[in-house]
Amino acid sequence: MSEMNASSKRNLSKTIRYIGVVEGISYLVLLVLSILKRTTDLNVQDGIKHLGMGHGVLFILFVAAILLGKKYLSWDNKKSITAFIASLIPFGTFWLDIQLKKDEALITE
């Protein structure tokens, strides 16, 4: 497969960032709903069920995006594993977004 140009690499990086942020938001909302379920009488079970499915899809998409970053953005194992771990920690994908945005500025031809 041919090399990606700098513009395509920046676009891929932005896509990974956006997927990560949406995945992170869905994770935080699920955590809030889970807390509400256990601490209040609110019926949030349907919200957890539907958002949980969406979050699962986003998580799988994010893992696929990490693999694309590894292949096309030449991420090393440390960066790939860090990105994966960031998806498991609340607010981790927001930190990752900041890191990847810094890296985007360094992408050149």
Side-chain angles (χ1 to χ4, degrees):
M1 184 157 253
S2 65
E3 279 290 314
M4 294 177 74
N5 62 31
S7 177
S8 296
K9 287 181 179 183
R10 280 190 292 276
N11 285 337
L12 176 57
S13 180
K14 286 179 186 176
T15 300
I16 294 168
R17 287 180 31 233
Y18 295 152
I19 293 168
V21 167
V22 173
E23 191 269 344
I25 290 169
S26 72
Y27 184 35
L28 290 175
V29 172
L30 272 174
L31 288 175
V32 169
L33 290 176
S34 179
I35 291 167
L36 289 173
K37 177 183 171 189
R38 288 166 178 75
T39 60
T40 69
D41 292 332
L42 293 174
N43 183 5
V44 294
Q45 193 60 37
D46 284 341
I48 291 172
K49 178 182 173 183
H50 296 296
L51 184 59
M53 174 67 83
H55 172 71
V57 170
L58 286 167
F59 180 77
I60 292 168
L61 189 60
F62 187 65
V63 170
I66 291 170
L67 294 173
L68 289 174
K70 185 166 177 52
K71 181 175 182 176
Y72 293 109
L73 301 177
S74 302
W75 288 2
D76 58 12
N77 287 337
K78 181 180 177 183
K79 188 168 194 166
S80 301
I81 291 168
T82 300
F84 178 76
I85 291 171
S87 72
L88 303 176
I89 300 170
F91 300 100
T93 56
F94 305 113
W95 170 83
L96 181 66
D97 176 60
I98 293 167
Q99 302 308 309
L100 294 180
K101 193 169 189 177
K102 290 176 187 176
D103 292 348
E104 279 174 27
L106 303 175
I107 295 174
T108 59
E109 291 294 329

